Amino acid sequence: MKTRTPISVYISVTIGLTIMAFEMFASDSGYFSSPFFWALILITVILLMIMNSIGDLIENDSFSKLSEDEKKEYLAEKSIPYYQKLWNSAFKKQSVSEEKDILIDHGFDGITELDNSLPKWWIGLFWFGCIFCVVYLMAFTFTDYAHPDAEYTKEAKTMLASIEEYEKTAPKISLETAKYSADNITEGQELFKTNCVTCHGDGGKGGIGPNLTDTHWINIKEKSLFKNVFWMLENGSPNNPTMRPFIKEGTITGKDAEKIAAYIYHINQESSPITVSQGGAAPQGEEVKWENGNN
Ligand code: HEC
């Protein structure tokens, strides 16, 4: 009669596998606080305990039918701790008499071989691997599980939603509230490169759109340079639709415009103009003396 695996092993393996399944298929770690998850664990543990009690009854019954010697042997076996037995089954060498029982003799070539049964942990791992493979394949085929593109779309959606939420509560920056800050110049430069460089050239030297580094301007709508640029970004050019109303059409936000305007203030007022001889576009419009410093 074989000794039984302790209930604690069944319980920990089952809980481990349950957590693994939830980790694989739940959308996030929220299941840990779900009553459904804990109810499932509780029911599983109760079922395992019932199974164990039935095992106890069967064990007692079979034990009473053993001979005295068999009883002694069984009790001795049972007194060895489970993990020690597991360890022994994996690494301990058999005695010579035990080896004799499992020896396969090829006969003709003189090679002998031991027909060991595989260790329990190995068989357990093997079956776990097989079952995992089936579950994984099914999940991959029929659900979104382990599909990077599906995961990406989902995460991107959550991110966009949180950005939208932020935009809703963040104070809107308008022509009245926009403020120059030297900290915005670097980010403004990046935004300029993505949105404006195609027409206004590297560093704002001009091209399809006018040179933004010089003293001449076509559109003079505000008293300060910073606000004038913001005005242009909000409304576009009244004379030339090529310069679009970037904020109104939703290409950039007021916050972006605040950064870009800081950058343009910087290249216009804090750096020397890119002249025609340096590859800049010729001045257009009239010469302006901006008021109000940088705001
Ligand atoms: C598709 C080409 C194009 C793009 C892209 C473009 N602009 Fe313009 N921009 C122009 C043109 C053309 C004008 C001249 C409008 C006019 O004649 O009134 C202009 C005018 C301006 C003016 C006023 C200059 C003046 O002398 O009156 C500013 C400031 C300006 N753009 C900034 C920007 C910024 C900042 C961006 C990027 C967010 C940008 N533009 C993107 C074509 C463009």
Side-chain angles (χ1 to χ4, degrees), residues 191-200 207-212 214 216-220 225 228-230 232-233 236-244 246 251-252 257 260-261 263-264 284-286:
L191 287 161
F192 185 84
K193 278 184 190 155
T194 14
N195 295 290
C196 327
V197 122
T198 39
C199 294
H200 289 282
I208 298 167
N211 190 330
L212 297 175
D214 63 15
H216 285 63
W217 289 69
I218 305 168
N219 301 275
I220 304 160
L225 169 70
N228 199 53
V229 175
F230 200 103
M232 288 301 293
L233 288 172
S237 165
N239 334 304
N240 185 346
T242 321
M243 178 61 203
R244 293 161 6 230
F246 284 85
T251 314
I252 62 173
I260 299 175
Y263 171 67
I264 293 176
Q284 282 170 278
E286 51 182 295

Side-chain angles (χ1 to χ4, degrees), residues 93-103 114:
K93 208 171 170 299
Q94 299 90 337
S95 65
V96 179
S97 68
E98 274 171 331
E99 268 190 7
K100 226 176 223 156
D101 292 340
I102 55 171
L103 197 71
L114 290 179

Side-chain angles (χ1 to χ4, degrees), residues 211-281:
N211 190 330
L212 297 175
T213 67
D214 63 15
T215 50
H216 285 63
W217 289 69
I218 305 168
N219 301 275
I220 304 160
K221 301 290 178 187
E222 294 283 325
K223 289 195 174 118
S224 83
L225 169 70
F226 176 80
K227 286 276 162 83
N228 199 53
V229 175
F230 200 103
W231 193 97
M232 288 301 293
L233 288 172
E234 181 151 291
N235 302 294
S237 165
N239 334 304
N240 185 346
T242 321
M243 178 61 203
R244 293 161 6 230
F246 284 85
I247 300 179
K248 279 189 182 154
E249 69 178 20
T251 314
I252 62 173
T253 62
K255 210 170 168 51
D256 294 336
E258 191 180 46
K259 291 172 183 166
I260 299 175
Y263 171 67
I264 293 176
Y265 178 86
H266 173 72
I267 57 174
N268 188 287
Q269 299 286 302
E270 298 172 350
S271 330
S272 37
I274 304 175
T275 59
V276 177
S277 59
Q278 290 165 323

Side-chain angles (χ1 to χ4, degrees), residues 2 85-92 94 102 113-127:
K2 277 194 167 174
K85 263 186 275 180
L86 204 63
W87 178 265
N88 291 348
S89 82
F91 299 108
K92 211 177 169 195
Q94 299 90 337
I102 55 171
E113 187 184 355
L114 290 179
D115 186 17
N116 275 310
S117 50
L118 289 160
K120 264 188 188 168
W121 64 264
W122 194 100
I123 295 175
L125 214 59
F126 173 75
W127 285 116

Side-chain angles (χ1 to χ4, degrees), residues 53-69:
S53 306
I54 295 172
D56 280 344
L57 291 178
I58 296 172
E59 186 181 354
N60 285 343
D61 186 49
S62 320
F63 185 74
S64 62
K65 288 177 188 153
L66 294 178
S67 69
E68 282 308 311
D69 281 349

Side-chain angles (χ1 to χ4, degrees), residues 118-140:
L118 289 160
K120 264 188 188 168
W121 64 264
W122 194 100
I123 295 175
L125 214 59
F126 173 75
W127 285 116
F128 172 77
C130 292
I131 293 167
F132 184 83
C133 174
V134 172
V135 171
Y136 190 98
L137 271 179
M138 289 293 177
F140 188 80

